[in-house]
Every structure is written in C-alpha cells, then in structure tokens.
Amino acid sequence: MTDLHIHHTRLTPQMRSVLERMARAGHPPLHTLSPQRARVAYDAGAGVLEVPKATLARVEDLHIPARDGHALPARLYAPSTGAGLPLLLYLHGGGFTIGSIATHDILCRELARLAGCMVVSLDYRLAPEHRFPTASNDAWDALRWLAANAESLGADPERLAVGGDSAGGTLAAVNAILARDAGLPLVLQLLIYPGCAAHQDTPSHATFARGLVLEEPAISWFFGNYVNSREEREDWRFAPLLAPDVEGVAPAWVGLAECDPLVDEGVDYADKLRLAGVPVDLEIYRGVTHEFIKMGRAIPEARKAHADAARALRLAFHLE
C-alpha cells in the first residue's frame, strides 16, 4: 500500500489524479534539495496547474524599503488604472524558504480581477539566508509603507487588507496583530491554510504526515531553515496561536484544505479569533490538500476558493 492510498477515500477524484501524476513524475522531494535548488524546482512547477493568466490594466514592479534599508521587490496588480482602489498586501507561501512573486503571480492576478482591488505581492527575504524574524519584519515594514504611500500608488488608505497562503498566511496573521497594536486599521485578514502553531503536534499533522503535497519531512525542513530554537518556535510571530491577545484584530476569512497537516491549527486559530470577538468566516474545502489554491486548472475547489476569497474582500472593501 502506498502512502497515497491511505488517503484514497478522503480525496476528490481530481485531487487523487493530481497526486498520482505528481508521483509518476518522480521529481525529488523539495526537502531533499538545497534551498537554492528547491526554489528553482518550485518555480518551474508553480504554474503548471494554475488557471489561465489574467490580463490586467495595470501590473507594475516596485521596491519597498525594509527597516535595514534593503529594497524589497514587490509587484502591484490592479484591474483598472483609476485611483482610490482598495489594496491587499499579499504574502506568498513556501515555508519561509521557497516561493516568490513569480510563483504566486497568477493567484494574485486572479484575486485582483475577481475582487476588483489592487494587490501588492511582496518578495520578503527567505530562509536560511534570512532567518526568523526577517520575513515577519519585512511583511510588517511593507504593510506600514503601503499604508503611508497608498494614495501615491492609486490606492485608498482607508481600505487596506493583508493576506497570504501557508507561511504567507502566518505572516498575514502576525501583520494583523501588529497593525492592531500600531493603530493601523485593516478591513480584513485573508488567511489561506496558515501555519499557526509552534509545534507539529495536532492530530492532522499525524493523519496527513505522508502521501500528500505537504509531508512531515518537508515541514520540518522548512521550519528548520527559518527558526533556530524552541524559544523562536514559541514566539507568536512564528506561531500566532501563542499570541497573548488577539482582541480587536481585523476580521478574518480563513480558507483551509481538509487533507492538510495544517488544518487543525487553522481551525484552532479561527476559534481563538472568534473567542476574542473577532468576526471570522471559515471555509474548509473537502477532499483537497495543501497548495490546492494554486491548482485551479485541475481542482474545482481552487476556483471556488478564489471566488470565496474575492467575495470576502469585496464585502470588506464595501464593493458589494
């Protein structure tokens, strides 16, 4: 029995087909490569299962200054050239080690198109060259800069949101807490299967440790590249479930994959927000795995999640 067959009855037929094709392709697991080679491999496969690339009225590359003077690459997407568009800062996934503007280009275009908003995608610095808390600091520096410079970009500074997938979802959740503490109002935090826990000790980490897109050895490799110690793992900027107080943070849309090691901690974080009085819209997409959001050509649930996330943004931005 292969690891995939362990999960056969849980997965949708389309998801099973994707996993079977991935297994037949026989590519080495990313965690067996150097970080540099893993980035190249992830980049090469990032768009294979994506929806068609949307053409937008405005796509521009820019740089955002970090606190240490480093110029962070970013890309702005907008469905129109008009001024006053609401703005979403998007933070890509990849375990703090891989991923880029390029790997999430199609997803960001789709969010801009469907939500009718400006999206700014950030190339925060990656581990292990830049360890904790560099990614978190870069994300926060970018959000503060965008809030201060929104009007010059053609965006509405009163309608700001932050979002991301996987490690980017972690960064978005942390940004929402930092924004509350700084008095910077956000209308939404868009969290797509975010990492939220300090340790991989939930039941879903055991259930889905093997046979799916994100496996336990990869999680350990990603996190080992980013955090150096138990103390850093238990810092809420890595594990927002350990944040002492989330009262008053931005409302959340949380989109999770059912067959994902991270699903339990995503549910736990949604519960933590709700207990603090934060409005939460939680969607769990059945029969799909981590990374499904970028498989819209093959996985109908990905297209549904695009539409659901965009509707959450439109509602938060008062566009409908």
Side-chain angles (χ1 to χ4, degrees), residues 5-314:
H5 284 103
I6 297 170
H7 309 293
H8 184 88
T9 59
R10 293 178 183 262
L11 298 169
T12 68
Q14 296 92 339
M15 192 75 245
R16 285 200 302 272
S17 175
V18 166
L19 291 169
E20 287 163 358
R21 280 180 278 159
M22 289 172 63
R24 284 198 299 271
H27 298 303
L30 295 180
H31 66 271
T32 66
L33 306 175
S34 68
Q36 295 76 20
R37 288 183 60 207
R39 289 169 199 154
V40 172
Y42 184 63
D43 287 0
V48 171
L49 296 176
E50 295 269 24
V51 296
K53 182 176 178 177
T55 299
L56 298 173
R58 186 181 172 200
V59 179
E60 298 173 11
D61 289 326
L62 65 149
H63 286 86
I64 295 174
R67 65 190 65 186
D68 60 2
H70 180 79
L72 298 165
R75 184 171 296 164
L76 182 157
Y77 305 87
S80 72
T81 56
L85 287 175
L87 188 155
L88 167 71
L89 169 63
Y90 195 85
L91 304 160
H92 68 78
F96 308 102
T97 303
I98 61 174
S100 65
I101 290 170
T103 62
H104 286 62
D105 177 80
I106 291 175
L107 176 58
C108 288
R109 287 172 182 267
E110 202 64 5
L111 290 173
R113 180 182 76 85
L114 292 171
C117 69
M118 182 182 293
V119 176
V120 174
S121 178
L122 181 72
D123 259 344
Y124 55 88
R125 285 172 282 185
L126 298 176
E129 296 90 340
H130 303 280
R131 293 182 180 267
F132 175 86
T134 304
S136 182
N137 290 345
D138 285 354
W140 173 235
D141 292 348
L143 183 60
R144 286 194 303 171
W145 187 88
L146 289 169
N149 293 274
E151 289 186 17
S152 67
L153 295 174
D156 179 357
E158 302 300 316
R159 291 186 293 169
L160 300 176
V162 65
D165 61 289
S166 196
T170 307
L171 298 175
V174 170
N175 256 4
I177 298 170
L178 293 169
R180 178 213 50 195
D181 293 347
L184 194 167
L186 300 177
V187 300
L188 189 70
Q189 51 180 316
L190 189 81
L191 309 180
I192 301 170
Y193 36 74
C196 298
H199 307 286
Q200 293 88 61
D201 53 6
T202 62
S204 63
H205 273 285
T207 300
F208 302 116
R210 294 286 192 280
L212 303 174
V213 172
L214 181 65
E215 298 188 314
E216 189 283 323
I219 297 172
S220 293
W221 182 73
F222 285 135
F223 291 172
N225 285 329
Y226 184 53
V227 284
N228 294 307
S229 65
R230 186 180 185 91
E231 182 182 24
E232 288 182 349
R233 275 183 172 266
E234 295 177 356
D235 188 307
W236 66 266
R237 292 171 297 168
F238 174 74
L241 264 170
L242 298 183
D245 171 27
V246 293
E247 185 177 354
V249 302
W253 182 87
V254 182
L256 306 176
E258 179 191 15
C259 302
D260 182 354
L262 304 187
V263 65
D264 286 351
E265 60 201 72
V267 171
D268 289 347
Y269 194 64
D271 287 345
K272 180 183 179 79
L273 294 173
R274 284 190 180 119
L275 285 170
V278 178
V280 176
D281 182 1
L282 173 63
E283 298 285 347
I284 301 177
Y285 297 90
R286 302 295 173 182
V288 296
T289 71
H290 201 80
E291 195 79 358
F292 85 96
I293 199 80
K294 296 173 78 280
M295 301 178 182
R297 187 163 61 82
I299 307 295
E301 289 78 9
R303 299 190 293 275
K304 175 73 162 58
H306 297 166
D308 291 345
R311 183 170 186 271
L313 287 164
R314 292 182 65 83

